[in-house]
Amino acid sequence: MIAAPPGGFRGPIKRSVTIAGHQTSISLEPLFWQALEAAATTRTLPLNALIAEIDAIRILAPDPPNLASALRSWLLADQLGSDAA
């Protein structure tokens, strides 16, 4: 049986972050913000630094997705990689 995520289903929350010296807004669901914060903590990076690194990789793609999509994709791939280890 499946269940709703902890805290229920919630829509995106917009946050401002600084990347390469400029501010940008990113809208992500709370679970993705929590996962990003955990990933930054695991890597001993500030949240903005982790997002900046993911952004730098994203812009190298042949057809770069928007930043929110890149963050979600990176988080899922990171989680799947962690589970496989």
Side-chain angles (χ1 to χ4, degrees):
M1 176 165 201
I2 64 168
F9 293 102
R10 296 184 47 210
I13 295 173
K14 187 177 284 195
R15 287 195 190 175
S16 292
V17 297
T18 302
I19 302 173
H22 70 279
Q23 283 204 328
T24 189
S25 293
I26 304 169
S27 293
L28 292 172
E29 294 75 10
L31 287 175
F32 285 105
W33 283 118
Q34 291 170 11
L36 270 175
E37 290 164 356
T41 298
T42 298
R43 291 165 175 77
T44 62
L45 290 171
L47 181 60
N48 285 355
L50 177 62
I51 292 172
E53 286 191 26
I54 296 167
D55 186 48
I57 296 166
R58 171 189 75 92
I59 61 176
L60 296 176
D63 186 18
N66 67 48
L67 182 54
S69 293
L71 293 170
R72 288 184 190 101
S73 297
W74 183 87
L75 283 165
L76 182 58
D78 185 62
Q79 183 62 45
L80 292 174
S82 296
D83 288 347

